[in-house]
Every structure is written in structure tokens, then in C-alpha cells.
Amino acid sequence: MTRLAARLIRRRWARLLFLSACLAAGSAFLAAGDILLAALGGAVASRARDILGADLELSSARPFGPAVDAALAGLTAGGARATSVTAFSTMLSAEGPAGVPRLASVRAVEPGYPLRGTVDTEPPGAIARLFTGDACLLDAAAARQHGAKPGSRVRLGALTLTVAGVVTRESGRTLNRFQLAPRVYMARALVERSGLARFGARIKHERLIALPPSREPESAARAAAAGLEARLADPYLSVTAFSDAEPTTRQALGRLTNYFTMVSLVTFLLGAGAMASGLAAFLDEELETAAVLRCLGLTGPQTRSLYRTLCLFVGLQAGVLGALGGWALAAAALAFLRRGFGLELPASAGLDPRAAAEAVLLAAACAWAVSEAKVRALAGVPPLEVLRERAERLPPTPRGTAALLAAAAAAVYAYVLWKTSSADTARWFTAAVTGTSAALTLGCLASLRAVAAAARRPGLPLAVRLGLISLARRPARSLPFLFTLAAGFGLLGALDLVRHSLAKELAAGRAAERPELFLVDVQRAQLDAVRGLARRWGRGEPAFAPLIRARLAAVNGVAPARRPVDGLGQEGRARQRMLLREFNLTYADALNPSETLRAGAFWGPGEQAGLASLEEGFAKRTGLKLGDRLVFDVQGRPVSAVVASLRAVDWLAMRPNFFVVLPTAVLEKAPQHHIGSLTVRDPVRSAASTASEAALPRDSARSDAFRRALAEAAPNVSVIDAGEALDQVSEVLAVLLAALKGLAWFCVAVGLLVLAGALALGSRERRADAALLRALGAGTRLLVGADSTAFAAAGLSTFVLGAGAAYGLGALLAARLDVAFAPDAPGLAALLASALLLPPAVGLGASAPAYRAAPLETLRREE
Amino acid sequence: MSDALLALESVEKSYPAPGGALRVLHGVSLSVGAGQSLAVVGPSGSGKSTLLGLMAGLERPSAGRLRWRGRDLSPLSEDGLASWRRESVGFVFQSHRLVSVLSALENVLLPLELAGVAPGEARERAAAVLSALGLAARLDHRPSQLSGGEQQRVAIARAYVHAPPLILADEPTGALDADTASAVLDSLLRLNAEKGSALVLVTHNSEAAGRLSRRVTLSGGRVA
């Protein structure tokens, strides 16, 4: 049997290779995603100690008390080393009147820092000079911003510091390109003199610990972290082992995993559909061979086994091709990320045996699943029926198809859940895939009916009629490529619509009337002065809101517990992170213009009761709902509040907004500072500005002048440029969407492959039809005209269905990403123009041999 | 010879083969007059089907000439030959050779549509020929919904519907059982008698050959 199978495989190798190729593209993307993300995850893990600069970090917004010192004394007695870091954001400027204060992220360190990894500087070893005078180190971005070099002088709060060197490289830091504030190092001993460490400043106190050498440093760090956490039991204290560091990078990696898994899976599913239809056609054609083999003594089970082997071979071949392709893709992507973004990543991706095995097993299982019903049908057809030409095709297998579709939906759900650890994502993706598939199938059927109806219209030229009929009356052949192409173009269009919607939202965030500067850490006593400056230099009324730090002590009487993250899904981890972190509360007695009430009732002025209003996205992610009783620990005092309303917030209105709002009377007396936002730029001032405004410098010069005045009056207040932040977000999103669109183009390529495959599978019939029409007197023009009509109709159907799918999917994706869906019909039409052109180009190219074939020879072969 | 509808003059046909050219026809000369019926018989491999292909202009002779009403066909291009075939030849194949996605009526309409006959008239004529062959109830059936005999009768209707002066039939009953074959042959000859076309029938069946006015026997690529 094996020999017979091998012989059949040798004879049909080209056909089987094509069927494998359909699945291999998707399989390659899944494998590439696995390999790439494993490499990225590995890079984060291997550099986690360097990123943290230690094995263990204790951090708190409050200065550490004696309990921490006592706990650390125990560790250092056992051979551990410890050092302290004070980290905060503030404004840095070059010395002199021309210097413009800009946001900087300060790390005030002690000798010995970092405990792990290195900080390389130019000139080398400059970090040691931090502790010999009023000196600092700037990273390259800060040096560029302020035109500083070693020896330059910069101002930071009340300090004037000499730049001892420029940081050229920090271990691990190049993994994370997204940074709002350039980094500055200075000695911790200078913090007090800077005048920036006053109450309310957003200071992070850190204790870094390097544990004694251990054979298993990861588990040793985790054990030490757990021990410290249990011993200190302080909700305001965070203990992080290096293996759990960089939650933002890990979270970003998690999101990347989600996106790439989903788009790759769509490619895989389209390929699987293509392979399924190809295998069905292949098994149809094998009917006669199987019948002859049955007549020669092959039993039904042996026939099943023979063709099952062939189908499994297709899957295994696809898996192997996919694993190798994935390896190559991952290597190319790593090289791109290294060169294009300067990320510290492995030079090459290893062929991860787990990813390879997964690709092969998945492809083989897929090939088996999509062919099993047909293989059984093939073995079940009585051979004489075939030989007497009473059975020319395999009987339909509606039960098998229904079971296959149900199993496919379940498998998709399970796979996405496994890969993303997010039941919500898995549910959403499965619903989106099944819904889109059902809608596209109905759309394709409707489109074929429309084509059939068009073919019946009187007066059509013969070539047109024949072309339309050949498309409409071969649904088994037309449906797979129409579906695959429409899905591919639909996905491509949907991603483009999401990109357009995001760009529009981000542009709205940068719109002239939106505030572009955020002021952080404005002390109560400074509020009037800062507001005055904002009014003087800004346009319109600046918005200020109080900010009160708090922790959530209980929800409905139960304190939120920290559970090991390994046992939590993605949503569970996000929920835990949100509930346990420090909250920024505010108080107000009315909604601001960027807020909309979604549920419940917002209180009125003078409300004394403990009520809370939650932002609806926050409520959804944390699982909090109307009526929940919350207790906040506000600087040591419990504040109770019942969730009374849910609000929608337009975050891109660029004004101070908060997840949690309480009535003024409840929080007014709590220790607080303020944040504010204002508009400085003035692109339309010419007509509207007053005489006093016209005397002011414009745009960036005006913004710089405001920063200088603010630094003079309130040196502790940080200014965040929202435009710069949005630019960074735009840059990251553009790269991500470009990569996803690249994958979507592969979906289109799979569709074209299916079209070419459908033509190749039907080439015998097409040649016979062409030869027959020639025998009846048809010329080449008629044959080409008929095919052109068929492929043009297919292109038009693809365009219409693709556009419909793009709108539907785009709206779904936008809703999922909390982006306002902004349809862009002209942009979409331009993008999908290729849907009109590619099917005719590929179709006519694949049909050319039929036009050249000698008719008599073809007809004889068919006898 | 000048009255001949189609004349073959010393026609030869060779195909390239691994051991050198394989000559299938050796200097065949014969002619068919208007309204004549000619049976071409001979053993398998004698060149009967090749001869028919040459007569239909589906292949070109390696040497010799074909004349249609005295006009040499060799200068015609492929599309020129297709155009000539459209007007002048009806073809019945051993297997029905119907277009699978077209109904019986649509298959029969094809030659008329290719010839540019008005749709209404074409439909009328096609339906009439199919009815004459007992297929009035099968007009909208696809080939897969017809029996072997019915499929072959549709193919005969398609060959005759545009009233070509010459019908070429390549063992049209070869794939049918005896009873069906006899019925199909009856249909073919009856229709041929009604339409007055010239008929060239390649057949193994000597009884069928006997029902035609002339017989040519091919042996080893030569007229015996």
C-alpha cells in the first residue's frame, strides 16, 4: 500500500505540491509569528536583568520606611547587593536664556549603579563622574534636543549641572523604542537640592537588589520577591523580579502576538479552504483510478487508507514548507527590526523545533480534516457505477461538511485562546471569522446568481454570454476563488480603513483647537500662577483638574488580591494590573465637554454621598459595574463610593480626564495636585487674534517662551507635548499596520493562487471546451473574449464583495480597537482597483495554453 | 472533380515520433460531392480519424491539398479555417462533446450564434431540430442530465442546425450500446436525408457503412 501511495504521489507530485502550497503560506506565517515572537520574548527575558539593572526591584511612590531597610538588611547579610534610585520626570533645559525646557526622565542613582548590565558613555566611564560634582549624563535624544555635549551645562529644577557624558548604550533599553521623555542620570544626592522632590511630585523610589550568584537566577529572584512581598505586606509597595519586569514591553508583545496570530490565521484558513476545494476536485478526478483499483482487488478500507495517505502527505508537505518558510520569514523580519529600528535582537532566528512541529502537525491535521469526508465517499462509491460512467463525481457530503465547519469554528476558537490566552479575543475572532465567512459565502452565491441572470439577458454578444455562463454555472470552481479573493481583499481593505480611521483620530487629536500641551504636577499653591501663565501664552481657557493618588482597597467588601500571572488569561492579567495599580482620582460635580453619560446618573453640585463615575472602557476591563461598592485608600484614609454612572470619554479631546471621578465634597480635602492642558499653537490667528495676541511670537517660538516662563515660575511642573506623543504613536501604528497589510497581501496572493489552481484543475475541461468551440468554428477572439468576460466578472464580483467585507470587517475592527470608524470610499476603491485587474490578468495568463492547444489532438485525448 | 464539394489531393500526414516522423496518411486522394454520403472504414490505426480531422480543417496536411468547391484551403489561417468550418461543416464526435455548462438547447444554439443568426430565429431552429430528434422535452437539460443516446442526438442536432453542406461524423455510435447506436444512426441518416448535406461517416460498423452511398476503406494510411 505504501509503495502504491508513493507511486501515486510521484505521478501527481505537481498537483499535490500546488495543494500543499495553498496551505503553506498561512502555515509559514503562523510559524514565523511563533519564531519571531519567541525570539522577541527571549530577547526581553534574556535582557530583563539588564533592563531592570538588577535581579529585584522594590518601588513605591512613597519614601521607603524602616521595614524595607530591615528586610533588605536581611538580604544583604546573605550576600546580596543593594542600591537606591530615585526616578521622576521633570523639565530639562540648556543653560542660558535660549534654553528651552523639555520633558526629561531623570534617574538619580548611587555609586555602583547599575547592579546588572552596563551604561556605556562617551567619553567612556563618565558614569563615575556623576558622583564627583554637579554632573549629569544625557542620553543621545536629550543631548540632541538641547544641543548639549560633554562639558555643556544644563538646568534641572534648581540645579545647574555639567554634562559629564552622553549615554551611547544602555543594556536592554534599545528593546523599547517608545519613550516620551529622554533619559538623564544624576547623583541621588542631588535630588534634595534640585527642589523637585516636594510633596505631590510624581517620584518613584526604587531599591535595586542583586542577589548572590544562583544556578537558577529566575526562580531565586521570584522566590526573593515573594518573600519580600509577604514580609512587607504593603499595598503601596511593588516588588518585581527581573523575570516579570518590563510589563509594558511584554504587554506590547502580547498585543503583537494577538494581531499577527489573527491575520496569519486568516491566511491559514483561506489556504485551508483553498486546499479543501482543491482536494475535493482532486479526489473527484481520482474516482476512476480508485474504481479500477477496487476492481483489481483493493478493499474499501485500503482505498480509504491509500487516499488518506495522499491527503496527509499534502498536509505534511505544507507543514514542512510552512516551517521552512516561517523560519526564513522570521529571519528576514528580525533583520528588518534590527537594521530598521536598531533593536537589540538576536542576529538570526533559530528554527524553533516546537514551532516547526506545530506547523507540520497543524497542517497535517488540517489536510486530514478537510479531506476525510471526501476520502470516505471516494472509497464508498461502487466501482462499477464509475466504470459505467453513472458516477462522474463524488456524492455530496453535507453531514461531513457541516461537521467540518463546526469543528473548524471550535478549532479556531481553541487555537486563538491557546495563542493569546484571551477568551475574549478568541470569542471575538471566531465570531468575526464565522460571520464574515457566512456573509461572504452568501455574497458569492448572490454574485453568481447575478452573473447567471446577466447571462440570460437578450442581445448579449456570444463571447460575453459564454463567459458569464462559464463563471456562473461552475459554482464548485468559481466559489472557492471568489470567496478567497474577496476575503483577502476584504481584509486588506479593512486594515486600510482602520489605518485611515486611526489616522483621522490622531489628526483630530492634533487639530488646531485641541490642546497640545499637558501640565503635570501643578501644586495647589501654584495653580493660580500656572493658570495665569497658561492664559497669557495659550489660546482659550486652559483646563485644569485635581489629581488625587489612591489605591483600591476593596470591591464589594473584598480586597483585590494579587494572583500569580501565570494562571491568568490576558484579560485577567490586565484586570489585576488595573485594580492593583495606583489610581489617579479626580473630583467634579458636572461632566466636562469631552464626557458623555452612558449609564446611571451623574450627581449634581453639592453632592455629599460617596458616589463614583467610571469610564466605560475601564469598567469593562476591570469588571466593575453600576452599584459596586468601592473603597479607596486615599493617602491612608478610606473613602467609600458606590458606582453610580458610566461615562464615555473622548480622550482625543486632549483635556484632563480620569477613569474614576468622585463628587467634589468627597475628595476636595484630600492631598492633591493638578494637571492641565492648553493650546499654544495658533495656525489661524491672523484674522481672529487680538492686538495683544498678535504681539506674541508664533507656534513653536511661543510654546518655547511659555515653557521658559513656566520653568521660571514653577520649575517642578512638567510639560508633556501631546503632539510628540501622538507622532510616536502614529509611527508605531504605521509600522504595525504596514506589517499587517503585508500579511493581508499574502491573503490576496492565496486567493490568486486558488484562482490559478481552479483553472489548472479545470484545465482539461477548459481545453476540451476550447477545442470543441474551435471545431464548431469559433476563433481565438471568441475564446479570449469569453474568458475575459468571465474573469472581468470575477474581478468585479471580487471588488464588490471585497469592498463589502472591508467595510464590515473594518467597522468590527475599529469597534474592537475603540476607534471611531471613518469610511474612506475613494481610498478603498483605489486600493481595491487591483481586485478588478488581478483576476483577469492571472486568469488569462493561466488560460493561455488552452488557446494554443491543437483542437484535434485535444479532442482525441478526451476520447 | 470540379463538382466536388470537398476534394483531397495526394494528402499526406506525418507526426513527429521518437524514431523519426510517423506517417499516418500516404497520398490519399478522394472527393465528396454535394449531398453524397461516404463511409470511411478500416481497422484501428489506419488513419480514419486523422483523415476526418484533415477534412474538417482541424489539422493541416503535411503534403497535398484540400479544396473546398475548388478553392485551396491551405492559405487560410487558423481563424480563417474556423470561419470556414463555421459556415460549411458540421461535426459529430465519437463521444458527444457537449459543453457541460450549457443546456441541450444552448449547445445546439452555438453554431447559429457563431454564425450570427438572430436570437429568435436561432432558438426556433434549434428547438425544431431537437424536436425532430425527439428531444423536445429535454431542451433545458444539461448534458449530465441526459442519457448517452440523448447526448449523441443533441450532438447530431448541433451538427445539422446551421444546415452545413458537409457533415463529418467520427464513429458517432462507437460509445453506445447496439440498440442505442442503431437508433442514433437512424436519426443521423434521417436528418441527413432531410437536410441534403454531404455526409462523411467514419465507422467500424460495416452494417452502418452499408447504409451509405459510397465506401472508402483505409489501410495503413492508404486508400485500399
Side-chain angles (χ1 to χ4, degrees):
Chain A
M1 189 60 63
T2 314
R3 202 181 280 176
L4 181 56
R7 197 172 298 138
L8 283 177
I9 287 169
R10 270 205 306 279
R11 294 279 181 276
R12 318 292 201 253
W13 71 269
R15 174 76 56 89
L16 299 182
L17 182 63
F18 163 75
L19 293 173
S20 297
C22 288
L23 196 62
S27 185
F29 285 131
L30 285 177
D34 277 353
I35 295 169
L36 188 61
L37 291 164
L40 289 171
V44 173
S46 69
R47 286 172 176 77
R49 277 171 145 189
D50 296 351
I51 294 167
L52 202 62
D55 296 332
L56 209 61
E57 178 201 76
L58 273 80
S59 64
S60 174
R62 299 170 164 186
F64 295 115
V68 170
D69 293 335
L72 289 186
L75 279 177
T76 47
R81 292 177 294 134
T83 187
S84 295
V85 176
T86 305
F88 55 92
S89 292
T90 189
M91 303 303 280
L92 176 81
S93 65
E95 190 187 31
V100 180
R102 298 208 175 271
L103 190 67
S105 159
V106 178
R107 279 183 81 69
V109 300
E110 295 178 330
Y113 177 89
L115 299 179
R116 302 286 186 204
T118 56
V119 177
D120 298 337
T121 58
E122 183 56 45
I127 194 164
R129 292 177 53 201
L130 288 182
F131 312 105
T132 59
D134 288 0
C136 69
L137 295 176
L138 304 185
D139 73 5
R144 207 167 36 244
Q145 247 178 21
H146 299 283
K149 52 185 189 293
S152 302
R153 290 170 68 78
V154 292
R155 292 198 60 193
L156 196 144
L159 294 171
T160 302
L161 304 170
T162 302
V163 177
V166 174
V167 176
T168 52
R169 183 177 170 278
E170 286 173 84
S171 307
R173 197 167 176 232
T174 44
L175 275 172
N176 189 355
R177 280 191 82 234
F178 189 84
Q179 53 185 61
L180 209 52
R183 186 170 283 185
V184 178
Y185 283 99
M186 66 178 205
R188 195 161 165 267
L190 298 178
V191 173
E192 200 59 39
R193 274 175 50 210
S194 73
L196 298 169
R198 62 177 82 176
F199 172 78
R202 292 178 65 84
I203 288 182
K204 186 182 171 198
H205 302 272
E206 296 175 10
R207 285 283 165 85
L208 302 181
I209 299 130
L211 296 171
S214 160
R215 287 179 65 184
E216 290 183 7
E218 193 173 320
S219 47
R222 278 197 165 154
L228 278 176
E229 213 161 33
R231 179 171 172 184
L232 297 168
D234 180 352
Y236 285 89
L237 191 72
S238 166
V239 187
T240 310
F242 74 88
S243 48
D244 298 323
E246 282 293 292
T248 318
T249 310
R250 286 170 202 274
Q251 199 180 344
L253 272 179
R255 286 203 181 122
L256 265 182
T257 310
N258 288 2
Y259 296 145
F260 280 93
T261 299
M262 286 188 279
V263 179
S264 303
L265 196 53
V266 169
T267 318
F268 184 84
L269 290 173
L270 289 177
M275 186 182 67
S277 67
L279 274 175
F282 169 71
L283 293 172
D284 257 344
E285 289 186 9
E286 286 298 306
L287 204 52
E288 197 175 324
T289 306
V292 171
L293 291 172
R294 292 286 302 278
C295 290
L296 294 176
L298 214 64
T299 64
Q302 283 173 323
T303 311
R304 268 205 301 276
S305 163
L306 175 67
Y307 282 97
R308 197 177 282 144
T309 305
L310 257 65
C311 294
L312 275 174
F313 172 79
V314 169
L316 289 169
Q317 187 169 247
V320 171
L321 289 173
L324 292 172
W327 183 30
L329 273 172
L334 276 179
F336 172 73
L337 289 171
R338 280 173 63 85
R339 285 192 203 130
F341 292 88
L343 298 185
E344 273 184 18
L345 293 168
S348 65
L351 179 55
D352 180 1
R354 215 189 74 169
E358 200 181 300
V360 172
L361 284 176
L362 194 65
C366 179
W368 171 79
V370 300
S371 63
E372 184 60 16
K374 289 284 178 193
V375 166
R376 286 174 175 274
L378 177 72
V381 175
L384 270 183
E385 291 293 299
V386 180
L387 298 177
R388 286 175 183 160
E389 295 188 358
R390 285 184 199 148
E392 290 180 346
R393 285 181 177 281
L394 288 173
T397 51
R399 269 196 203 167
T401 308
L404 176 65
L405 291 176
V412 164
Y413 177 83
Y415 186 82
V416 178
L417 181 61
W418 175 40
K419 286 288 175 185
T420 66
S421 311
S422 166
D424 185 45
T425 304
R427 255 195 316 272
W428 179 87
F429 181 77
T430 309
V433 164
T434 48
T436 308
S437 301
L440 269 182
T441 305
L442 291 175
C444 289
L445 288 171
S447 158
L448 291 181
R449 283 180 79 102
V451 171
R456 284 195 295 272
R457 288 184 60 182
L460 284 181
L462 178 61
V464 173
R465 202 165 65 77
L466 284 178
L468 295 178
I469 284 174
S470 79
L471 182 71
R473 295 193 189 166
R474 289 190 174 107
R477 197 165 298 158
S478 308
L479 259 180
F481 73 74
L482 270 185
F483 179 91
T484 320
L485 278 171
F489 277 109
L491 182 63
L492 187 66
L495 289 171
D496 200 58
L497 286 176
V498 170
R499 181 201 57 76
H500 180 259
S501 305
L502 272 169
K504 211 168 168 187
E505 272 213 9
L506 292 173
R510 279 190 290 253
E513 71 278 8
R514 301 283 169 99
E516 86 272 27
L517 295 184
F518 274 85
L519 308 180
V520 183
D521 288 348
V522 182
Q523 306 300 312
R524 227 176 194 174
Q526 297 172 314
L527 186 59
D528 289 341
V530 172
R531 197 194 299 271
L533 280 175
R535 282 181 179 146
R536 160 94 176 94
W537 295 94
R539 291 181 53 78
E541 182 62 20
F544 283 89
L547 187 152
I548 293 106
R549 300 253 176 82
R551 285 196 169 270
L552 188 61
V555 177
N556 295 325
V558 180
R562 187 186 296 275
R563 290 162 56 194
V565 289
D566 292 345
L568 297 172
Q570 206 169 78
E571 286 83 23
R573 285 199 288 270
R575 182 169 187 267
Q576 173 161 296
R577 204 165 41 243
M578 294 196 94
L579 290 177
L580 291 176
R581 74 178 186 178
E582 197 172 41
F583 278 67
N584 291 328
L585 308 180
T586 194
Y587 55 82
D589 284 344
L591 294 175
N592 73 43
S594 62
E595 295 174 315
T596 315
L597 189 67
R598 282 294 165 86
F602 201 84
W603 53 87
E607 178 64 58
Q608 302 285 324
L611 300 175
S613 176
L614 306 184
E615 193 265 341
E616 60 179 354
F618 168 80
K620 190 179 168 196
R621 286 192 291 278
T622 52
L624 297 176
K625 54 195 183 302
L626 287 177
D628 278 349
R629 287 173 294 112
L630 312 178
V631 179
F632 290 100
D633 174 350
V634 181
Q635 317 282 319
R637 292 185 58 181
V639 173
S640 300
V642 175
V643 179
S645 65
L646 300 180
R647 293 162 295 123
V649 173
D650 174 12
W651 294 102
L652 288 170
M654 295 291 173
R655 56 177 299 139
N657 269 307
F658 295 81
F659 286 146
V660 186
V661 182
L662 277 75
T664 302
V666 176
L667 276 185
E668 198 176 20
K669 293 193 173 66
Q672 60 194 264
H673 62 271
H674 287 73
I675 61 171
S677 67
L678 74 154
T679 313
V680 175
R681 67 168 169 252
D682 179 20
V684 289
R685 66 193 282 231
S686 54
S689 57
T690 63
S692 64
E693 281 175 328
L696 293 169
R698 320 189 36 145
D699 299 340
S700 63
R702 183 168 165 163
S703 167
D704 291 349
F706 168 69
R707 286 165 192 258
R708 285 190 204 104
L710 183 69
E712 198 64 38
N716 62 300
V717 175
S718 298
V719 181
I720 298 172
D721 190 325
E724 278 176 17
L726 287 178
D727 285 345
Q728 290 204 22
V729 171
S730 302
E731 190 192 334
V732 171
L733 286 175
V735 171
L736 180 63
L737 280 166
L740 291 175
K741 273 177 73 181
L743 285 183
W745 270 112
F746 274 92
C747 290
V748 173
V750 170
L752 292 172
L753 197 64
V754 177
L755 169 61
L759 295 172
L761 287 172
S763 63
R764 219 173 80 178
E765 195 178 345
R766 298 178 71 78
R767 278 174 192 238
D769 283 354
L772 176 64
L773 285 169
R774 274 197 181 285
L776 293 176
T780 309
R781 188 186 291 179
L782 184 125
L783 299 179
V784 175
D787 281 346
S788 300
T789 306
F791 298 128
L796 186 64
S797 300
T798 302
F799 179 86
V800 173
L801 292 167
Y807 265 84
L809 269 178
L812 266 177
L813 274 170
R816 176 84 184 157
L817 296 171
D818 281 334
V819 176
F821 183 54
D824 171 30
L828 185 65
L831 181 72
L832 298 190
S834 46
L836 291 171
L837 301 175
L838 286 174
V842 172
L844 288 174
S847 303
Y851 310 139
R852 288 195 294 269
L856 191 64
E857 196 182 325
T858 307
L859 292 170
R860 264 191 199 144
R861 205 177 296 149
E862 289 297 304
E863 292 294 347
Chain B
M1 211 44 127
S2 59
D3 293 340
L5 195 61
L6 180 69
L8 282 72
E9 299 171 8
S10 307
V11 164
E12 298 197 358
K13 182 66 185 174
S14 308
Y15 293 104
L22 175 67
R23 193 184 278 190
V24 181
L25 291 177
H26 302 261
V28 173
S29 295
L30 60 84
S31 63
V32 187
Q36 280 187 354
S37 62
L38 171 69
V40 180
V41 296
S44 292
S46 59
K48 303 187 296 294
S49 293
T50 303
L51 180 70
L52 211 65
L54 288 169
M55 292 171 96
L58 290 170
E59 280 195 306
R60 290 174 186 273
S62 308
R65 271 175 213 292
L66 270 87
R67 289 183 188 278
W68 175 253
R69 298 189 200 273
R71 182 166 68 106
D72 187 2
L73 291 179
S74 23
L76 293 183
S77 65
E78 287 304 319
D79 281 353
L81 280 171
S83 175
W84 163 73
R85 221 164 26 238
R86 186 158 66 217
E87 290 160 11
S88 313
V89 182
F91 215 114
V92 185
F93 302 93
Q94 181 175 6
S95 177
H96 56 80
R97 294 272 159 258
L98 299 175
V99 180
S100 60
V101 291
L102 299 181
S103 67
L105 181 67
E106 287 170 333
N107 265 288
V108 178
L109 275 171
L110 272 176
L112 297 173
E113 289 178 314
L114 285 167
V117 177
E121 185 195 338
R123 199 177 168 79
E124 221 168 82
R125 279 168 64 180
V129 179
L130 282 167
S131 299
L133 289 169
L135 295 168
R138 302 291 212 174
L139 300 188
D140 294 323
H141 286 62
R142 299 263 191 99
S144 59
Q145 296 166 314
L146 301 172
S147 70
E150 287 172 329
Q151 288 169 342
Q152 202 58 312
R153 276 187 281 158
V154 174
I156 291 169
R158 185 177 63 189
Y160 278 99
V161 73
H162 56 310
L166 176 65
I167 299 289
L168 301 171
D170 188 2
E171 300 195 45
T173 58
L176 303 174
D177 63 74
D179 289 345
T180 312
S182 172
V184 166
L185 190 62
D186 286 346
S187 301
L188 177 65
L189 295 177
R190 181 164 51 78
L191 202 60
N192 194 58
E194 283 170 20
K195 303 281 183 186
S197 305
L199 171 67
V200 178
L201 174 71
V202 166
T203 181
H204 274 108
N205 185 332
S206 54
E207 188 192 329
R211 295 173 66 178
L212 272 65
S213 56
R214 274 174 66 201
R215 175 195 297 228
V216 168
T217 304
L218 277 184
S219 177
R222 292 186 169 82
V223 177

